[in-house]
């Protein structure tokens, strides 16, 4: 795709609050420019649901703040992603509900109320719209533009960069737009009548667990996320959208046929390869919360087919042996993904575990394609490696999902992560050093690239071109307990930065997955978006000239201050 021409911008000075330092600033709830009660009453008349006043996840544990709350419910459901997603103020990682001030104090709300004794709003938005329709979203957007508000968009809150929250902000919550419509002969708007697809249109609030179940009832499957409570049509797709099915069917962005979106102007567009194709291109991988608010996505579906599940686990008596094993696995990833195997694994200096699946593969092919790795692992027994492997046929992708992912917990922990899309060249030449790094950081690895992902034109969508040469996504991260001091957290962040720097040195040409990454990535424009960044920024300026949509490390965010509230002229 050629770089787009420079587009003229609409004048926004009349809407902006200008500081004495010559910056254009957005309005937050602690400022006198914040709308008053009559303004919000006017908004209430324009939307279908009562305005929402989001609270931190643990607010019920502080009776003075939430007298009707149930702290027992909070504690019992703290790691339940579906429960968290049902609340407009709850984030997957609670650290993104907090604010760290310059003096080192932390504004937070913990389920253990004895840590601070008080619950503070932190980064949780203070008021917003519970959107149930396009009209609700338009009303929220128009209100934010009229009053120049700091706006955030939230669906489920599965977000490792904290883009679903901002201190003193106004939120448009899309979680309850959850319609699901199947069409066996879907034709994108503006496309030739004979261009038909078996497709499903998912509202912005639909979560993958519900989408899979609905698809299964019609005899179909969809390329989607591993966790049931992740949204189908928000940040997952906007970052690229990986899946265990990706080595066979491509990324989420490769399976999106049409997207509906509300722009900062309030205009409602349906975009695809035939109309507003530049925006369709950008929405598929160019970053969430950046161009508009997506109201629905139409995805290609595939007939349900049986699958093979390959389970592997190993234990090591010494770290050196584990490095040898992991290095061998990195080398084997190209073959695994090209054969259609996709899945997830984890490691430390004592153990390695992973599960891969491949749709529509015979048991004979499954045995033939996994045997080389199984044999290699067994050959390391003299080094102190004990391993076991098994192949299990499963009736369908949905059965695999229900069996493997139904109880996976990814929420409720204070966490920051970094990722790297390891290319074919990297796993072939740097496997020893990469294995040492991953074993040390107790890393995760997602076999969600390679195969079909590598066969698709890098310029077909706005997603990071690094995906088109990657065979595995490697992840390292840090976690900490509630109540940890700023100094303790900073120490762990410094450790994470060390890992990021080391990975950058080892794989300078590889990128990172925008949805599973850190705010501390080096050269984030290149790392997240690669050669597409300039074009994405042109699309951003064309469709959001009011600069309403700004998120951490999102396209154009370099023009704003750290808080993403003030922009230099």
């Amino acid at each position: 795709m050629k770089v787009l021409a420079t587009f003229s911008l609409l004048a926004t000075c009349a809407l902006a609050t200008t500081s004495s330092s010559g910056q254009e600033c957005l309005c937050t709830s602690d400022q006198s420019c914040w709308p008053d009660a009559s303004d919000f009453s006017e908004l209430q008349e324009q939307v279908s649901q009562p305005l929402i006043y989001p609270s931190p996840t643990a607010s019920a544990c502080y009776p003075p703040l939430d007298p009707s709350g149930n702290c027992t419910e909070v504690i019992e459901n703290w790691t339940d992603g579906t429960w968290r997603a049902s609340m407009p103020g709850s984030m997957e990682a609670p650290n993104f509900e907090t604010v760290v001030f310059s003096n080192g104090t932390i504004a937070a709300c913990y389920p253990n109320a004895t840590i601070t004794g008080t619950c503070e709003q932190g980064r949780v938005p203070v008021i917003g719209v519970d959107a149930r329709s396009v009209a609700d979203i338009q009303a929220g957007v128009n209100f934010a533009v009229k009053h120049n508000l700091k706006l955030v968009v939230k669906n489920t809150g599965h977000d490792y960069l904290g883009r679903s929250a901002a201190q003193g902000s106004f939120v448009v919550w899309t979680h309850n737009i959850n319609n699901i419509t199947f069409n066996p002969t879907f034709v994108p708007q503006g496309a030739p009548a004979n261009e038909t697809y078996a497709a499903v249109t998912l509202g912005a609030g639909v979560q993958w667990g519900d989408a899979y179940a609905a698809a299964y009832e019609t005899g179909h499957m969809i390329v989607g996320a591993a966790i049931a409570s992740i949204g189908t049509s928000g940040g997952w797709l906007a970052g690229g959208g990986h899946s265990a099915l990706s080595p066979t069917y491509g990324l989420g962005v490769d399976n999106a046929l049409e997207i509906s979106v509300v722009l900062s102007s309030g205009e409602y567009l349906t975009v695809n390869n035939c109309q507003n194709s530049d925006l369709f291109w950008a929405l598929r991988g160019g970053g969430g919360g950046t161009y508009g608010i997506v109201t629905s996505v139409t995805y290609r579906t595939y007939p349900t087919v049986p699958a093979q599940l390959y389970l592997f686990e190993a234990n090591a008596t010494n770290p050196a042996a584990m490095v040898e094993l992991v290095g061998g696995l990195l080398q084997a990833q190209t073959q695994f993904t090209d054969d259609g195997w996709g899945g997830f694994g984890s490691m430390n200096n004592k153990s390695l575990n992973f599960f891969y699946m491949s749709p529509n593969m015979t048991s004979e092919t499954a045995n033939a394609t996994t045997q080389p790795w199984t044999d290699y692992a067994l050959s390391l027994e003299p080094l102190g490696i004990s391993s076991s492997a098994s192949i299990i046929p499963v009736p369908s992708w949905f059965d695999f999902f229900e069996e493997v992912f139904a109880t996976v917990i990814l929420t409720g922990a204070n966490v920051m992560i970094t990722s790297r899309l390891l290319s074919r060249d990297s796993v072939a030449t740097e496997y020893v050093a990469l294995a040492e790094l991953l074993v040390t950081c107790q890393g995760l690895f997602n076999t969600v690239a390679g195969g079909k992902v590598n066969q698709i034109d890098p310029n077909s969508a706005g997603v990071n071109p690094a995906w088109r040469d990657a065979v595995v996504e490697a992840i390292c991260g840090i976690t900490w307990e509630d109540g940890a001091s700023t100094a303790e957290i900073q120490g762990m962040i410094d450790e994470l930065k060390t890992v990021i720097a080391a990975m950058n040195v080892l794989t300078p040409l590889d990128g990172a997955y925008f949805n599973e990454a850190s705010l501390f990535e080096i050269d984030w424009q290149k790392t997240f978006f690669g050669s597409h960044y300039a074009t994405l920024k042109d699309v951003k300026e064309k469709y959001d000239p009011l600069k309403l949509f700004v998120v951490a490390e999102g396209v154009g965010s370099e023009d704003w201050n750290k808080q993403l509230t003030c922009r230099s002229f």
Side-chain angles (χ1 to χ4, degrees):
M1 177 175 289
K2 296 181 180 178
V3 175
L4 302 176
T6 301
F7 299 94
S8 61
L9 299 180
L10 298 179
T12 61
C13 296
L15 299 175
T17 300
T18 305
S19 71
S20 58
S21 59
Q23 292 181 311
E24 180 184 301
C25 296
L26 300 171
C27 185
T28 53
S29 62
D30 60 334
Q31 298 176 306
S32 59
C33 56
W34 191 250
D36 58 25
S38 63
D39 295 320
F40 285 114
S41 294
E42 182 180 343
L43 173 62
Q44 180 64 79
E45 294 176 358
Q46 300 171 20
V47 295
S48 65
Q49 303 296 314
L51 296 180
I52 52 175
Y53 298 84
S55 298
T57 310
S59 60
C61 297
Y62 299 78
L65 180 68
D66 188 355
S68 62
N70 184 344
C71 188
T72 300
E73 179 186 4
V74 170
I75 294 171
E76 290 178 348
N77 293 284
W78 190 251
T79 60
D80 186 329
T82 301
W83 177 78
R84 281 181 169 270
S86 70
M87 298 178 290
S90 184
M91 308 300 152
E92 174 188 29
N95 48 294
F96 289 115
E97 296 180 25
T98 68
V99 173
V100 179
F101 296 108
S102 57
N103 65 0
T105 60
I106 300 176
C109 189
Y110 304 119
N112 180 358
T114 63
I115 293 176
T116 61
T118 60
C119 176
E120 298 187 57
Q121 191 76 7
R123 298 183 72 248
V124 175
V126 298
I127 192 172
V129 171
D130 176 3
R132 306 294 177 100
S133 65
V134 170
D136 284 344
I137 293 177
Q138 290 173 316
V141 165
N142 292 337
F143 186 81
V145 170
K146 177 180 178 179
H147 296 280
N148 194 43
L149 304 182
K150 173 59 183 174
L151 172 72
V152 296
V153 183
K154 181 182 182 292
N155 177 16
T156 66
H158 282 270
D159 190 346
Y160 290 115
L161 295 177
R163 295 163 294 179
S164 302
Q167 187 177 12
S169 61
F170 175 83
V171 64
V172 173
W173 189 39
T174 63
H175 177 70
N176 290 308
I177 302 178
N178 50 24
N179 49 295
I180 300 176
T181 306
F182 282 91
N183 187 340
T185 56
F186 175 80
V187 179
Q189 290 187 20
N194 62 351
E195 185 182 327
T196 64
Y197 303 88
V200 59
T201 300
L202 304 173
V206 176
Q207 295 168 302
W208 277 115
D210 294 329
Y212 292 145
Y216 183 69
E217 290 180 359
T218 70
H220 291 83
M221 61 182 181
I222 322 168
V223 174
I227 306 302
S229 56
I230 290 176
T232 60
S233 306
W236 180 83
L237 177 69
H242 70 55
S243 169
L245 292 171
S246 291
T248 302
Y249 299 110
L251 297 169
V253 297
D254 303 323
N255 289 278
L257 300 171
E258 192 165 89
I259 302 173
S260 296
V261 59
V262 173
L263 305 181
S264 58
S265 63
E267 185 179 6
Y268 174 60
L269 296 179
T270 298
V271 303
N272 53 46
N273 279 323
C274 300
Q275 56 189 41
N276 301 110
S277 59
D278 52 351
L279 180 56
F280 182 59
W281 179 86
L283 288 171
R284 291 178 296 134
T290 299
Y291 310 94
I293 300 180
V294 170
T295 65
S296 70
V297 177
T298 300
Y299 289 102
R300 179 187 286 109
T301 65
Y302 299 91
T304 293
V305 293
Q308 299 291 331
L309 175 61
Y310 177 62
L311 303 175
F312 178 87
E313 59 180 277
N315 294 289
T317 58
N318 61 86
M322 183 54 66
V323 169
E324 179 78 17
L325 182 68
V326 172
L329 181 60
L330 289 174
Q331 289 179 290
Q333 288 308 301
T334 300
Q335 177 256 311
F336 268 125
T337 57
D338 286 351
D339 285 337
W341 290 102
F344 308 90
S346 62
M347 70 190 73
N348 55 40
N349 61 8
K350 295 180 179 179
S351 65
L352 169 70
N353 299 274
F354 66 80
F355 49 89
Y356 292 168
M357 65 84 64
S358 184
N360 211 24
M361 180 181 282
T362 65
S363 58
E364 292 78 13
T365 301
N367 279 294
T369 54
T370 58
Q371 198 63 50
W373 165 254
T374 303
D375 291 343
Y376 171 76
L378 290 173
S379 75
L380 298 182
E381 186 174 353
L383 298 181
I385 296 287
S386 60
S387 63
S388 64
S390 59
I391 294 176
I392 303 172
V394 290
S396 69
W397 155 257
F398 185 66
D399 289 284
F400 166 75
F401 175 80
E402 289 279 277
E403 178 70 23
V404 176
F405 295 117
T407 59
V408 172
I409 295 174
L410 284 182
T411 61
N414 299 303
V415 61
M416 291 184 183
I417 64 174
T418 181
S419 69
R420 204 70 176 173
L421 299 173
L422 302 181
S423 67
R424 291 170 177 260
D425 181 67
S426 292
V427 298
T429 61
E430 299 291 347
Y431 59 91
V432 174
L434 287 169
E436 292 175 343
L437 184 59
L438 290 173
V439 168
T440 300
C441 82
Q442 303 184 53
L444 306 176
F445 59 97
N446 299 333
T447 303
V448 292
K452 182 69 172 181
V453 176
N454 292 167
Q455 299 166 19
I456 296 173
D457 180 359
N459 294 319
S460 64
V463 70
N464 192 342
W467 273 106
R468 305 309 180 183
D469 194 40
V471 293
V472 63
E473 179 199 18
I475 297 176
C476 294
I478 56 172
T479 63
W480 61 92
E481 296 297 323
D482 289 344
S485 69
T486 303
E488 290 170 329
I489 297 172
Q490 186 58 53
M492 285 181 281
I493 289 175
D494 290 342
E495 292 178 9
L496 185 65
K497 288 180 178 179
T498 299
V499 172
I500 292 171
M503 191 69 80
N504 192 67
V505 169
L506 287 174
T507 61
L509 301 180
D510 300 349
Y513 180 35
F514 187 43
N515 286 342
E516 293 169 345
S518 163
L519 295 170
F520 310 108
E521 304 292 344
I522 297 169
D523 191 5
W524 61 264
Q525 292 96 328
K526 175 178 177 290
T527 297
F528 291 147
F529 305 106
S531 59
H532 288 160
Y533 190 78
T535 306
L536 289 168
K537 193 165 185 181
D538 284 343
V539 176
K540 162 74 171 172
E541 292 176 352
K542 175 182 177 182
Y543 288 96
D544 183 25
L546 300 178
K547 296 177 172 57
L548 177 66
F549 303 107
V550 55
V551 296
E553 317 294 51
V555 172
S557 64
E558 69 272 23
D559 299 331
W560 295 75
N561 63 357
K562 184 177 179 180
Q563 293 74 32
L564 302 179
T565 54
C566 290
R567 184 176 63 86
S568 300
F569 287 115

